[in-house]
């Protein structure tokens, strides 16, 4: 047998940086959390009223942070206008630049319509912000029809975003880990893992343990769906039915950092599922573990996927830096999310107990 | 008068009198529309000196650690136990069906009529989608400019009637540049005479490269199964290396 040693190889580092991971994570979380807001706020199911309100808060926080992370991943952020001046509609990314404002704009409209009665109540309570609340409440009407229409538009935006983020990744045949029809589906199922995780986190911060059982049930379902999809991917890889998956699997399994990272992901995901089923009232642990799982999957797909050599056999030795392209970027987007949480919860009572 | 694009450094030197006679016109082909630039790399002539790598870096002022062309080098040991050196000089293949062009969301990456795949630096937003789509790792985001960067076949030189810097500097005359559509060009003649011995990188990617190889070990034409002498290897400090 011939043996080959690459004595001089040229590995390229990732050009989609941790910012991209943050974007794909946050936008998925937001879309999924938005869908969780529908049963209580659009269909007005009484037992979903509270979880849905918290889900709307989760959708807003992550939905407003995500585009910032995306802009930061552009190496020429000031030129984002070119997406609208020179769109190439043969590219999924070009479509995405239209889906993002559709979704974020509709989400803001939907949130405003849902919150108008609350804002009017706040105006009536008086205080320094009375005039501002009155202005923004714009009469304070509860308009189920308008809410329904805004929800429809945001649902369309969310579906298109979930579609394009998956497709944009899947069509890259040059990346063996990305080029699988299962990728959009795994992104979808783990978006729900993350969206439920973010809603659980908001509930934990508000001390609303009563909403945990419904959310943990949903989390268990989303995790189960993820395991089925991952099993299908592994099945294709190990049986040889999917040569691309087989290549990706053999590359990752033999890689020193990514093999253990994959095992860690699987182990913690199984533990999260067990926790969600066994302790349905748990809030903090399932919230943090769900968010960790949804994020880590995207980290493995994007950063690990970019590391698999396309030519030769040299892996890029990626280590996360502390600068804006690394830890600072991750911390910055989480900081923005925290800031939005503080502002939104400071100005609006999301917990009905506080409103009463 | 037309002069077919020059095949290699030596042939180019022999053409200098003609060029200096004031006919260093850009395309140097009878029908500019029909010109299809391509490159042929005869790996048997490559001695892995990396002169092309350096010449390209100097000519195109690529940032430290980022290269438009490289010469990947392998030690291949046969079943009989003999070990030899194999090389794969790599650059953008200026593909006939370039996936990098398809994915660019703003149409900044485009294919010229003469076959060269280029980036419009004024339009590029630096999203790096093209970098992901290229099966050959031929692109990177230039962290000095914030834009996609890659081999241009030295279009600025070719337009001035010069050869790409890598071709001009190649010590072994392994790189031959010219018009694939001109049957009298050196590249077209050599490709024709090599017959089945001509290969491209990753033919299964269906990109139809315009960079051709003679003497290329098919096992080295894409992702390579083998050991990476990682500790001996040059590794970039920056993204895009
Ligand atoms: S080699 Fe890569 S960058 Fe060059 S044209 Fe082909 S796909 Fe595009
Ligand atoms: S980095 Fe520039 S050339 Fe590449 S896809 Fe993005 S906009 Fe197009």
């Amino acid at each position: 047998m011939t043996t080959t040693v690459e004595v001089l190889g040229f590995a390229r580092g990732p050009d989609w940086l941790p910012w991209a991971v943050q974007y794909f994570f946050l936008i998925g979380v937001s879309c999924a959390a938005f869908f969780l807001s529908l049963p209580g706020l659009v269909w007005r199911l009484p037992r979903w009223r509270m979880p849905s309100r918290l889900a709307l808060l989760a959708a807003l926080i992550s939905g407003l942070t995500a585009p910032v992370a995306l802009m930061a991943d552009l190496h020429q952020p000031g030129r984002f206008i070119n997406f609208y001046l020179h769109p190439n509609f043969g590219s999924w990314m070009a479509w995405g630049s239209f889906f993002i404002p559709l979704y974020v704009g509709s989400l803001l409209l939907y949130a405003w319509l849902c919150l108008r009665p609350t804002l009017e109540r706040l105006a009536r309570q008086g205080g320094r912000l009375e005039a501002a609340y009155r202005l923004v409440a714009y009469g304070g009407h509860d308009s189920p029809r308008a809410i329904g229409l805004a929800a429809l538009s945001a649902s369309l935006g969310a579906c298109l975003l979930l579609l394009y983020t998956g497709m944009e990744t899947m069509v890259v045949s040059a990346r063996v880990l990305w080029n699988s029809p299962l990728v959009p589906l795994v992104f979808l199922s783990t978006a729900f893992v993350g969206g439920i995780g973010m809603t659980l986190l908001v509930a934990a911060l508000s001390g609303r343990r009563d909403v945990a059982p419904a959310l943990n049930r949903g989390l268990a379902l989303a995790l189960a769906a993820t395991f089925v999809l991952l099993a299908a991917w592994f099945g294709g890889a190990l049986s040889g039915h999917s040569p691309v998956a087989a290549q990706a699997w053999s590359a990752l399994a033999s890689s020193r950092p990514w093999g253990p990272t994959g095992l860690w992901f699987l182990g913690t995901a199984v533990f999260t599922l067990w926790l969600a089923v066994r302790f349905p009232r748990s809030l903090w642990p399932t919230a943090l573990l769900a968010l960790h799982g949804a994020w880590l999957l995207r980290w493995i797909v994007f950063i690990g996927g970019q590391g698999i050599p396309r030519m030769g056999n040299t892996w890029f030795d990626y280590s996360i830096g502390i600068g804006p392209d690394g830890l600072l970027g991750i911390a910055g987007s989480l900081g923005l999310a925290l800031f939005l949480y503080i502002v939104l919860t400071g100005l609006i009572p999301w917990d009905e107990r506080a409103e009463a | 008068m037309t002069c077919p694009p020059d095949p290699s450094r030596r042939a180019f030197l022999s053409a200098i009198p003609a060029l200096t006679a004031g006919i260093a016109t850009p395309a140097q082909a009878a029908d500019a529309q029909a010109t299809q630039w391509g490159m042929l790399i005869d790996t048997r002539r490559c001695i892995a000196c990396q002169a092309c790598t350096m010449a390209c870096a100097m000519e195109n002022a690529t940032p430290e650690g980022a290269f438009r062309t490289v010469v990947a080098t392998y030690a291949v040991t046969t079943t009989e136990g003999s070990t030899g050196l194999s090389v794969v000089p790599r650059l953008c293949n200026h593909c006939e069906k370039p996936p990098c062009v398809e994915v660019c969301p703003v149409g900044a990456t485009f294919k010229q009529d003469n076959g060269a795949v280029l980036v419009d630096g004024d339009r590029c937003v630096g999203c790096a989608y093209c970098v992901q789509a290229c099966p050959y790792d031929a692109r990177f985001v230039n962290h000095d400019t914030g834009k996609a960067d890659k081999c241009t076949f030295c279009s600025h030189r070719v337009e001035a009637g010069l050869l790409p810097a890598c071709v001009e500097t190649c010590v072994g005359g392994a790189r031959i540049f010219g018009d694939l559509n001109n049957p009298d060009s050196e590249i077209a003649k050599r490709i024709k005479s090599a017959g089945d011995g001509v290969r491209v990188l990753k033919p299964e990617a269906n990109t139809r490269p315009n960079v051709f190889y003679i003497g290329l070990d098919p096992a080295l034409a894409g992702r390579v199964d083998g050991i990476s002498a990682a500790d001996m290897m040059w590794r970039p400090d920056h993204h895009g290396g």
Side-chain angles (χ1 to χ4, degrees):
Chain A
M1 201 186 83
T2 320
T3 54
T4 307
V5 179
E6 189 166 72
V7 286
L8 190 58
F10 294 83
R12 294 224 192 261
D15 276 302
W16 280 3
L17 305 169
W19 286 111
V21 178
Q22 295 300 98
Y23 166 70
F24 281 88
F25 167 67
L26 288 164
I27 203 69
V29 163
S30 177
C31 292
F34 160 74
F35 285 122
L36 292 179
S37 79
L38 297 177
L41 301 179
V42 177
W43 306 319
R44 309 213 167 191
L45 304 180
R47 79 196 159 85
W48 269 91
R49 178 127 188 99
M50 199 54 225
S52 285
R53 259 176 96 91
L54 297 174
L56 177 59
L57 175 58
L60 281 171
I61 294 167
S62 38
L64 294 174
T65 311
V68 178
L70 181 63
M71 289 284 281
D73 198 50
L74 290 184
H75 295 78
Q76 289 280 354
R79 290 189 178 174
F80 79 96
I81 196 76
N82 284 355
F83 280 106
Y84 305 102
L85 294 179
H86 311 286
N88 165 22
F89 289 117
S91 163
W92 279 99
M93 188 183 276
W95 284 103
S97 63
F98 290 90
F99 299 157
I100 295 167
L102 169 68
Y103 170 69
V104 176
S106 306
L107 177 68
L108 285 171
L109 178 67
Y110 166 70
W112 174 67
L113 288 166
C114 290
L115 291 170
R116 275 171 81 197
T118 305
L119 293 166
E120 180 64 21
R121 263 195 299 280
L122 288 167
R124 274 198 228 114
Q125 282 168 14
R128 274 193 309 176
L129 292 175
E130 182 188 340
Y133 282 132
R134 178 141 301 125
L135 187 73
V136 181
Y138 199 61
H141 304 295
D142 180 18
S143 346
R145 215 178 121 75
I147 291 175
L149 286 174
L152 198 65
S153 171
S155 301
L156 179 69
C159 288
L160 290 172
L161 276 179
L162 290 168
L163 176 72
Y164 114 84
T165 44
M167 293 304 292
E168 179 181 77
T169 313
M170 185 197 93
V171 296
V172 180
S173 51
R175 297 261 181 233
V176 283
L177 188 59
W178 301 3
N179 188 219
S180 158
L182 293 171
V183 161
L185 299 172
V186 174
F187 277 8
L188 176 68
S189 68
T190 53
F192 274 90
V193 171
I196 295 169
M198 187 67 102
T199 309
L200 278 165
L201 182 66
V202 170
L205 288 164
S206 326
R208 294 294 309 231
R209 195 172 290 279
D210 54 313
V211 303
L215 292 173
N216 280 325
R217 246 195 321 275
L219 178 60
L221 278 175
L223 281 167
T226 305
F227 285 127
V228 170
L229 293 166
L230 290 178
W233 187 84
F234 278 112
L238 298 175
S239 68
H241 271 86
S242 167
V244 184
Q247 276 180 49
W249 164 244
S250 78
L252 285 179
S254 60
S255 138
R256 234 177 307 143
W258 294 107
T261 310
L263 279 178
W264 170 263
F265 166 77
L266 288 175
T268 50
V270 169
F271 180 62
T272 316
L273 178 61
W274 176 79
L275 215 56
V277 173
R278 184 76 185 73
F279 301 100
R281 286 180 65 80
S282 79
L283 263 184
W284 282 102
T286 44
L288 295 176
L289 279 166
L291 286 168
H292 157 276
W295 182 86
L296 186 58
L297 180 110
R298 282 159 182 77
W299 182 265
I300 294 170
V301 169
F302 288 113
I303 304 296
Q306 288 180 86
I308 299 174
R310 296 189 278 196
M311 301 297 295
N313 57 15
T314 305
W315 281 76
F316 182 80
D317 207 9
Y318 182 77
S319 60
I320 188 162
I322 52 168
D325 286 350
L327 283 173
L328 195 61
I330 296 174
S333 48
L334 295 182
L336 176 59
L338 182 64
F339 170 76
L340 286 169
Y341 173 81
I342 292 167
V343 169
L344 286 171
T345 51
L347 292 174
I348 301 161
W350 295 83
D351 188 337
E352 282 168 329
R353 290 177 310 193
E355 257 191 274
Chain B
M1 177 192 157
T2 59
C3 172
D6 298 292
S8 65
R9 189 173 60 92
R10 256 161 272 168
F12 180 74
L13 288 174
S14 64
I16 276 181
L19 289 171
T20 50
I23 50 152
T25 48
Q28 299 171 351
D31 178 2
Q33 286 303 311
T35 302
Q36 281 298 303
W37 297 126
M39 192 179 286
L40 176 67
I41 299 175
D42 188 341
T43 60
R44 299 165 304 181
R45 290 172 151 222
C46 173
I47 58 165
C49 65
Q50 306 288 347
C52 51
T53 309
M54 288 302 125
C56 172
M58 305 289 283
E59 175 69 28
N60 296 297
T62 50
E64 189 191 335
F67 299 107
R68 292 182 179 186
T69 187
V70 294
V71 181
T73 309
Y74 301 87
V76 180
T77 306
T78 63
T79 3
E80 292 79 41
S82 65
T83 300
L85 189 78
S86 284
V87 293
V88 187
R90 295 197 325 240
L91 65 155
C92 167
N93 288 286
H94 297 272
C95 308
E96 212 49 51
K97 285 172 60 188
C100 56
V101 171
E102 277 168 40
V103 300
C104 177
V106 297
T109 280
F110 63 100
K111 190 164 173 69
Q112 280 189 325
D113 289 344
N114 64 18
V117 174
L118 302 178
V119 179
D120 177 348
D122 290 336
R123 197 182 277 196
C124 174
V125 294
C127 66
Y129 200 13
C130 56
V131 178
Q132 308 301 347
C134 171
Y136 303 101
D137 263 348
R139 288 175 169 251
F140 56 94
V141 170
N142 182 321
H143 286 266
D144 289 348
T145 63
K147 299 168 195 168
D149 201 322
K150 66 182 272 297
C151 159
T152 62
F153 269 162
C154 274
S155 61
H156 60 292
R157 288 175 60 92
V158 173
E159 279 171 19
L162 300 169
L163 284 169
C166 59
V167 177
E168 183 152 343
T169 202
C170 180
V171 175
R175 292 184 183 232
I176 297 128
F177 177 77
D179 181 5
L180 297 166
N181 279 355
N182 181 349
D184 296 329
S185 69
E186 183 73 12
I187 187 172
K189 284 194 257 179
R190 289 225 205 164
I191 286 177
K192 195 169 171 212
S193 69
D196 290 346
V198 176
R199 294 185 199 284
V200 293
L201 296 179
K202 284 193 175 177
E204 71 283 2
N206 202 25
T207 55
R208 303 201 359 236
N210 281 314
V211 173
F212 303 89
Y213 292 83
I214 296 177
L216 176 71
D217 180 348
L220 306 179
R223 180 160 152 65
V224 173
D225 277 333
I227 311 155
S228 158
D231 293 340
M232 295 156 63
M233 257 174 234
W234 177 89
R235 280 188 185 278
D237 293 333
H238 311 287
H239 295 295

